[in-house]
Amino acid sequence: MAVVQNRSRSEWQDLDRDHYLHPFTDHKDLGKKKSRIIARADGVYIYDVDGKKILDGMSGLWCVNIGYGREELVSAATRQLRELPYYNSFFQCAHPPSIELSRMLVEVTQPQFNRVFYTGSGSEAIDTMIRMVRQYWQLLGQPGRQTIIARVNAYHGSTVAGASLGGMKAMHGQGGAPLQGIEHIAQPYWFGSDRKLPPDEFGLQVARELDTKIRQVGVEKVAAFVAEPIQGAGGVVIPPATYWPEIQKICDKHGILLITDEVICGFGRLGAWFGADYYGVKPDLMTFAKGVSSGYLPLGGVMVGDRVGDVLIEKGGEFFHGYTYSGHPASCAVAIETLNILKREKLVERVRDDIGPYLQKKWHSLAEHPMVGETRMVGLMGALELVKSKSPITKFSSDQGVGVICRDILVNNGLVMRAVGDTIVVAPPLVLTHAEADELIDKARKCLDLTLAAVKK
Ligand code: PXG
């Protein structure tokens, strides 16, 4: 029997409009348009309350990596809820699922990672990381090293610290962000540049902004550089190959901490366990969430490399930080089973060797469409750029809202992809089959035609 009673679509929509404040939503606008009520899901498909079937090209919100309807995860959560639904890990307590998951996370991460701090979400992981980084330098007797450098248009969550560290201008205008001691440098967004430099040179140039910023702020004041291996919410910005090696070099040269925010890239999305592995960089800390539990229950955390972990433990005393749900037993049980499935079904390898290359090839074929200025994809994380004309590349004016028009056409035709301005992004579950990939591309192509027709009108 369902936990929630049956109601009609319009009943749900009215109740929703009257009582439910949604994240990142203009409610006056939503009140007019009404919400799409998603009632159930299976595999890579979601179903709305009327039974309409939609291919989920976004894995929920970049998180349902092993697909919907996995009985193994349901069973892991149920068994754990029966055994021990909750206990904390404050006051010298722990429980088996959080300890076991820690062991497993250490096993799938680079050798410098031997410890993990749990949170309930990616935003909390970012807050934890910021406090940890500043505490690390404090303990080393360099309390002046407070500044954390991030990137324009980065997304690092929505708490005050997350919104501050992120580089989204609109978020900085609300709610007290940005905090002090945060600086932003440019993103390695070649298509968004004037495209006069070849991508590799552009990658180097943008990476070297980190060096310039460190010198401007003063090396003795800089604590860390933080970035998503590939920017997700900012529009799947894939850096040129030269970018990350140069960033690593600059961090090493100045001795500042390097942190990768793996909330989206982690757990196989790029065909490697983590984005840092894909780009061959060696972070000191990694923040994670989403894919660790495939979105079935909330969980996030920070992988703590020995450089920081040893100092926190040897010199630290008590770190006055933690959450009621740090290492929640049911979330950890679901994460353990998620990792088991990723390994057993070799999903990371599958993204690297099979479905990744398969979807990429088809995705790039969309570049032939008259409205597509660029396609890009690594693993199962991609984007295409909608343009007014292709030679020379001319963009639509932002008030035309072409990205949103396209997104709405997509979902009405049974495919979810996200619009970031006029960039359409895709990140389907890692279990996507070849036939489902074909369906995704066929629908995308058809919807590009419909968008072109709509825009011409
Ligand atoms: N870091 C990164 C890289 C993220 O993508 C967070 C931190 C924050 O995680 P939580 O669990 O607090 O949401 C994220 C979240 C979008 C979208 O529209 C992306 C995210 C969240 C909501 C919407 O693309 N990423």
Side-chain angles (χ1 to χ4, degrees), residues 61-62 121-123 126 155-157 228 233 261 263-264 289-290 418:
L61 209 44
W62 320 83
S121 67
S123 298
I126 290 292
Y155 189 77
H156 296 297
E228 302 151 81
D261 181 350
V263 167
I264 286 178
K290 295 192 190 268
R418 276 254 290 112

Side-chain angles (χ1 to χ4, degrees), residues 372-444:
V372 176
E374 185 187 78
T375 52
R376 50 184 185 265
M377 188 176 283
V378 169
L380 287 184
M381 182 168 177
L384 60 79
E385 301 276 1
L386 298 174
V387 293
K388 194 167 164 188
S389 86
K390 290 173 71 153
S391 58
I393 283 178
T394 317
K395 299 187 179 178
F396 292 105
S397 75
S398 56
D399 56 354
Q400 279 179 276
V402 175
V404 171
I405 293 172
C406 181
R407 180 201 66 193
D408 290 348
I409 289 175
L410 282 161
V411 72
N412 289 333
N413 283 277
L415 172 61
V416 176
M417 298 205 280
R418 276 254 290 112
V420 180
D422 291 341
T423 309
I424 300 294
V425 303
V426 69
L430 314 186
V431 293
L432 188 80
T433 63
H434 286 209
E436 289 158 352
D438 295 347
E439 180 190 336
L440 189 156
I441 297 297
D442 290 347
K443 286 192 162 147

Side-chain angles (χ1 to χ4, degrees), residues 283-335:
D284 297 298
L285 300 168
M286 297 197 297
T287 46
F288 64 87
K290 295 192 190 268
V292 65
S293 55
S294 208
Y296 279 54
L297 284 178
L299 183 68
V302 182
M303 290 307 301
V304 181
D306 290 339
R307 176 178 172 191
V308 174
D310 289 350
V311 171
L312 283 182
I313 287 161
E314 295 308 320
K315 296 184 186 253
E318 182 169 345
F319 182 35
F320 300 107
H321 180 74
Y323 310 100
T324 302
Y325 300 124
S326 284
H328 189 284
S331 300
C332 289
V334 165

Side-chain angles (χ1 to χ4, degrees), residues 15 17 20 22 40 82 103 124 163 176 179 195 286 292 298 312 322 335 373 378 407 421 437:
L15 286 168
R17 177 201 55 216
Y20 185 10
H22 295 216
R40 65 182 191 90
R82 266 195 208 106
R103 182 194 69 74
E124 288 175 13
L179 292 172
R195 295 174 299 280
M286 297 197 297
V292 65
L312 283 182
V378 169
R407 180 201 66 193

Side-chain angles (χ1 to χ4, degrees), residues 29-342:
D29 187 49
L30 183 71
K32 283 182 236 140
K33 287 188 191 154
K34 303 202 170 169
S35 295
R36 186 179 302 277
I37 313 290
I38 304 303
R40 65 182 191 90
D42 190 33
V44 300
Y45 295 97
I46 54 174
Y47 296 82
D48 74 11
V49 75
D50 298 322
K52 183 179 159 63
K53 181 179 177 183
I54 304 167
L55 175 52
D56 183 5
M58 282 308 296
S59 309
L61 209 44
W62 320 83
C63 53
V64 187
N65 286 357
I66 64 172
Y68 300 94
R70 302 293 303 229
E71 276 304 319
E72 306 95 312
L73 299 197
V74 177
S75 161
T78 318
R79 280 180 285 143
Q80 188 55 48
L81 287 171
R82 266 195 208 106
E83 182 87 14
L84 179 73
Y86 177 76
Y87 204 71
N88 68 71
S89 41
F90 290 47
F91 321 127
Q92 290 98 53
C93 290
H95 40 66
S98 57
I99 303 171
E100 184 67 15
L101 178 61
S102 308
R103 182 194 69 74
M104 293 174 78
L105 288 170
V106 164
E107 203 177 83
V108 297
T109 50
Q110 293 178 15
Q112 71 273 25
F113 293 113
N114 285 298
R115 301 178 181 100
V116 52
F117 193 105
Y118 292 109
T119 70
S121 67
S123 298
E124 288 175 13
I126 290 292
D127 279 54
T128 297
M129 176 277 289
I130 292 174
R131 295 201 65 205
M132 199 179 271
V133 160
R134 290 178 169 167
Q135 174 68 0
Y136 165 79
W137 287 111
Q138 179 91 27
L139 290 170
L140 285 182
Q142 301 182 56
R145 285 205 189 242
Q146 290 287 298
T147 300
I148 301 179
I149 302 174
R151 302 186 299 190
V152 169
N153 215 27
Y155 189 77
H156 296 297
S158 185
T159 53
V160 176
S164 300
L165 190 67
M168 307 244 165
K169 266 222 184 76
M171 292 177 77
H172 289 173
Q174 294 177 338
L179 292 172
Q180 283 189 342
I182 289 172
E183 298 279 340
H184 294 93
I185 58 171
Q187 55 179 350
Y189 183 22
W190 182 81
F191 188 83
S193 74
D194 60 14
R195 295 174 299 280
K196 289 198 173 120
L197 285 179
D200 278 357
E201 272 178 54
F202 175 78
L204 282 178
Q205 187 192 64
V206 179
R208 286 173 187 155
E209 282 197 23
L210 177 58
D211 193 62
T212 309
K213 181 60 88 180
I214 293 170
R215 291 172 198 280
Q216 255 171 20
V217 172
V219 183
E220 71 294 344
K221 291 193 181 140
V222 179
F225 173 68
V226 185
E228 302 151 81
I230 291 176
Q231 278 181 333
V236 184
V237 175
I238 301 174
T242 49
Y243 180 79
W244 272 109
E246 190 67 12
I247 290 286
Q248 175 84 64
K249 241 199 272 172
I250 295 166
C251 290
D252 290 348
K253 183 172 74 175
H254 294 294
I256 68 166
L257 296 171
L258 172 60
I259 296 141
T260 54
D261 181 350
E262 304 274 356
V263 167
I264 286 178
C265 296
F267 302 97
R269 171 67 48 204
L270 306 186
W273 273 93
F274 293 89
D277 305 334
Y278 179 81
Y279 284 110
V281 294
K282 192 168 171 269
D284 297 298
L285 300 168
M286 297 197 297
T287 46
F288 64 87
K290 295 192 190 268
V292 65
S293 55
S294 208
Y296 279 54
L297 284 178
L299 183 68
V302 182
M303 290 307 301
V304 181
D306 290 339
R307 176 178 172 191
V308 174
D310 289 350
V311 171
L312 283 182
I313 287 161
E314 295 308 320
K315 296 184 186 253
E318 182 169 345
F319 182 35
F320 300 107
H321 180 74
Y323 310 100
T324 302
Y325 300 124
S326 284
H328 189 284
S331 300
C332 289
V334 165
I336 288 169
E337 206 49 34
T338 302
L339 294 186
N340 283 336
I341 289 171
L342 284 171

